[in-house]
Amino acid sequence: MRREPGFGDPRLGDFEDDVSSTKQRSLFSIAGSMLSEISIPKLIFAWVLSIGLPAILLGLAPLVATAWAATLTDEIASFTGVGAVALLIVSIAIGWFGWRPLLRMAETNFWSLNALAVQPGYAFFREAIRHLSEQAVARRWGEKARARLRAISAAAAGIILCLLAVLVIYLVWPSTRWAGTPADLVSLQRFIMPAVANAVVIVSAYSAGAALIWGVADSTMDQPLDLSAFDAIPDGARRWRVAHLSDVHVVGERYGFRIESGRVGPRGNDRFELAMDRLAEIHAENPIDLILITGDMTDAGLSVEWAAFDDVLMRHPELRDRIYLLPGN
């Protein structure tokens, strides 16, 4: 006679499994948890380091460069013969070898600006406009009309962000200064306010252009309207058989719970093992060309989980060499 487990069977998980589960809570609860877990000082530090400081340096660069150039011109004028030529050669060498790392640093930080500010802002405006417009007028529209509406929403989002950035440039421009004097090098405090104003203008100008480019690209790209209308596969053509598994979330314990599922979700690795067994049966009947596994292969990225993942693959050597992994987050 099989004896039922007592109270609190560990195979059924516990409250801690539900606490970490996104499926047990509403979107507002998840958003609140995310906000409470964000460290505001770390977030501010990341923004200052990725956007603020590079922008200040870019705003300061023309002031220092022009002031230094004016000083250098005066120095060269005071030299005669070999001394002036030597100073000029040294200055050219510094500029020649120094601009490359500066350009790479500026490019990297503009990409950070794009990822941390422009893209999220553009996506927010685009989706907000699309959602409101579809709720208001497009509930009964056909797919082509809805596609046009999505394109208009994308263009509108880009234009709105561009106009906001241009407005910031207009308000800040009177405080900018793009040329320095030798006297400024004596008192660097004279650079502070113009450098900040220059930085705001540079970031706003880039944001305006990038947002407009995103809007134009999104609004002009083709959208799939009728996937069933694709051309039929001609007779005798080569066909690829691809199996796609995603987010298998392998855990390291037999009765382990996945972080996002809680007690209502899958336990252990049984489903992944069953899926691989079924693929092996299909492959034996009609060979599979490729098995693509994407997303989270393991639940938390622990070494014991990767070992369990590899153990499952080792059971199917006929499939192992056909597997292509595309890890997610």
Side-chain angles (χ1 to χ4, degrees):
M1 181 177 179
R2 183 176 180 276
R3 182 177 180 181
E4 294 295 330
F7 177 78
D9 185 357
R11 298 175 186 81
L12 302 178
D14 53 34
F15 177 72
E16 292 182 357
D17 296 302
D18 293 339
V19 170
S20 59
S21 170
T22 57
K23 296 184 178 181
Q24 303 294 317
R25 296 174 290 167
S26 65
L27 289 177
F28 287 106
S29 175
I30 295 172
S33 299
M34 292 177 63
L35 290 176
S36 64
E37 292 173 1
I38 291 176
S39 173
I40 300 300
K42 289 182 179 179
L43 184 62
I44 294 175
F45 178 76
W47 273 70
V48 169
L49 192 63
S50 300
I51 297 178
L53 182 59
I56 294 295
L57 293 177
L58 286 175
L60 187 63
L63 298 172
V64 175
T66 53
W68 177 77
T71 304
L72 180 62
T73 302
D74 295 339
E75 292 291 336
I76 292 177
S78 65
F79 279 85
T80 59
V82 178
V85 174
L87 184 59
L88 183 60
I89 292 175
V90 171
S91 302
I92 294 174
I94 293 175
W96 178 261
F97 292 104
W99 73 272
R100 297 175 186 272
L102 291 176
L103 180 62
R104 293 193 185 97
M105 182 173 65
E107 181 184 13
T108 299
N109 286 285
F110 272 120
W111 277 111
S112 299
L113 170 63
N114 199 56
L116 292 175
V118 179
Q119 287 183 1
Y122 166 75
F124 173 80
F125 274 94
R126 181 194 63 192
E127 294 305 306
I129 295 172
R130 182 193 62 80
H131 177 74
L132 293 176
S133 58
E134 287 189 352
Q135 290 293 321
V137 299
R139 291 184 178 181
R140 298 182 180 179
W141 287 11
E143 187 59 33
K144 290 185 177 180
R146 293 168 68 90
R148 286 195 297 270
L149 184 60
R150 288 193 294 268
I152 294 173
S153 301
I159 293 172
I160 290 174
L161 281 182
C162 180
L163 292 177
L164 290 176
V166 171
L167 176 61
V168 172
I169 295 174
Y170 174 77
L171 295 175
V172 176
W173 186 262
S175 301
T176 61
R177 184 157 62 92
W178 302 97
T181 63
D184 293 328
L185 296 176
V186 179
S187 179
L188 294 179
Q189 293 180 353
R190 299 172 62 177
F191 280 153
I192 294 177
M193 290 307 297
V196 173
N198 293 353
V200 173
V201 168
I202 291 172
V203 170
S204 299
Y206 177 83
S207 300
L212 202 58
I213 291 173
W214 275 102
V216 171
D218 265 0
S219 61
T220 56
M221 69 171 53
D222 294 332
Q223 298 187 35
L225 301 178
D226 189 3
L227 297 178
S228 61
F230 283 7
D231 293 339
I233 301 176
D235 295 336
R238 176 72 169 92
R239 300 188 182 188
W240 283 80
R241 289 170 53 81
V242 179
H244 181 194
L245 306 179
S246 186
D247 292 89
V248 294
H249 281 270
V250 169
V251 292
E253 302 83 17
R254 180 181 177 186
Y255 296 106
F257 284 73
R258 283 154 179 75
I259 292 176
E260 297 179 353
S261 299
R263 287 180 289 182
V264 300
R267 294 191 293 271
N269 301 319
D270 292 344
R271 294 190 178 183
F272 180 48
E273 294 171 358
L274 290 174
M276 293 301 297
D277 292 341
R278 178 58 182 149
L279 287 178
E281 296 175 0
I282 295 174
H283 180 71
E285 298 175 359
N286 192 352
I288 299 174
D289 295 290
L290 177 69
I291 299 175
L292 177 63
I293 304 180
T294 61
D296 296 317
M297 282 74 181
T298 68
D299 197 47
L302 303 177
S303 57
V304 65
E305 296 174 344
W306 282 107
F309 178 81
D310 196 49
D311 283 345
V312 176
L313 302 188
M314 290 291 290
R315 289 170 41 191
H316 302 283
E318 73 283 5
L319 299 179
R320 185 182 173 89
D321 294 337
R322 301 172 185 268
I323 292 177
Y324 187 85
L325 301 180
L326 186 62
N329 54 324

